Amino acid sequence: GQNIDQPTEMTATEGAIVQINCTYQTSGFNGLFWYQQHAGEAPTFLSYNVLDGLEEKGRFSSFLSRSKGYSYLLLKELQMKDSASYLCAVIDSNYQLIWGAGTKLIIKP
Amino acid sequence: ETGVTQTPRHLVMGMTNKKSLKCEQHLGHNAMYWYKQSAKKPLELMFVYNFKEQTENNSVPSRFSPECPNSSHLFLHLHTLQPEDSALYLCASTTGGVDSGNTIYFGEGSWLTVV
């Protein structure tokens, strides 16, 4: 079967750095998304990786290793507003989007 | 504001009721989706419409009935639901499919409680 694994919950301190990992076992790979979802709000796009390496976008970076079936989202200089769920999703060989269950990130002062 | 609007935001219905969820996108996209989001579970794709034509139905029970009258509007008609259908229902839209990394724009969802 197809599977996306993410930690259920993580806690970090304001101003610190946190890395949220995502590992996937899918039938093929055509890209990986990260979305952010604040409680009670719509998921919003953060990043899209299709090639190996690190993509940096301000305080957020996303890394992909296709050979390892692995991605991470790196959040720097954490702010209280970064408290949210972070969803990893992979496009498989049939161009279906497979979602992880999300990682709830709690930021403490 | 994502450009995708869902109503109602909250709905409580009995198992014998009939209700509908509405979604409208103001982005000029041609594909629209219904997802179900339950606590601590992955998003479940329910239905996909491309240019008003249903292209996917992921084995969704017939008590959920979608309708897409035009590329901007999507409905989910609900009848004789079960308590396990209680969840957040998310509408989304894209320009083209997701296969090229097109960003998915989600609505804020309709919280459904079946009593």
Side-chain angles (χ1 to χ4, degrees):
Chain A
Q2 312 215 78
N3 197 48
I4 309 279
D5 286 313
Q6 307 179 233
T8 302
E9 188 174 296
M10 298 181 71
T11 302
T13 306
E14 191 177 15
I17 299 173
V18 71
Q19 177 175 309
I20 302 174
N21 295 325
C22 170
T23 57
Y24 59 89
Q25 300 89 37
T26 56
S27 58
F29 176 87
N30 282 298
L32 183 145
F33 290 97
W34 283 97
Y35 277 77
Q36 179 191 59
Q37 185 177 23
H38 286 100
E41 297 184 13
T44 55
F45 172 83
L46 286 178
S47 67
Y48 172 70
N49 294 69
V50 65
L51 299 176
D52 291 348
L54 187 68
E55 299 263 350
E56 296 186 72
K57 199 183 289 185
R59 294 188 299 113
F60 291 12
S61 302
S62 56
F63 172 83
L64 175 66
S65 169
R66 289 171 296 171
S67 62
K68 296 182 179 178
Y70 168 69
S71 173
Y72 67 73
L73 183 68
L74 190 71
L75 291 74
K76 301 177 183 177
E77 300 168 19
L78 286 170
Q79 302 175 10
M80 297 304 291
K81 67 179 182 179
D82 297 329
S83 292
S85 288
Y86 291 86
L87 311 178
C88 174
V90 170
I91 305 170
D92 71 8
S93 58
N94 293 317
Y95 298 101
Q96 301 297 308
L97 198 54
I98 313 299
W99 291 87
T103 298
K104 182 178 180 181
L105 177 63
I106 300 168
I107 309 297
K108 294 186 174 179
Chain B
E1 176 59 53
T2 63
V4 181
T5 305
Q6 290 187 242
T7 55
R9 292 295 314 280
H10 298 270
L11 178 63
V12 179
M13 60 186 289
M15 288 190 283
T16 58
N17 290 159
K18 285 186 180 181
K19 297 285 185 184
S20 296
L21 306 181
K22 179 183 176 182
C23 176
E24 183 175 0
Q25 57 99 356
H26 314 277
L27 302 167
H29 290 165
N30 54 273
M32 295 187 76
Y33 310 78
W34 279 116
Y35 279 94
K36 177 182 178 182
Q37 188 174 35
S38 302
K40 299 184 179 180
K41 289 186 178 179
L43 285 174
E44 298 175 47
L45 179 64
M46 300 175 73
F47 301 105
V48 181
Y49 279 82
N50 269 298
F51 294 102
K52 302 187 301 177
E53 299 296 321
Q54 187 179 131
T55 57
E56 200 154 335
N57 174 341
N58 272 3
S59 303
V60 180
S62 59
R63 57 186 184 269
F64 294 92
S65 174
E67 179 189 359
C68 188
N70 55 61
S71 294
S72 299
H73 293 85
L74 186 63
F75 294 89
L76 188 62
H77 303 300
L78 315 169
H79 62 99
T80 59
L81 294 191
Q82 304 299 310
E84 60 264 29
D85 297 323
S86 298
L88 178 66
Y89 289 84
L90 289 166
C91 175
S93 70
T94 59
T95 177
V98 297
D99 52 309
S100 300
N102 292 311
T103 301
I104 306 168
Y105 291 82
F106 287 91
E108 293 190 325
S110 294
W111 286 96
L112 174 65
T113 303
V114 181
V115 296

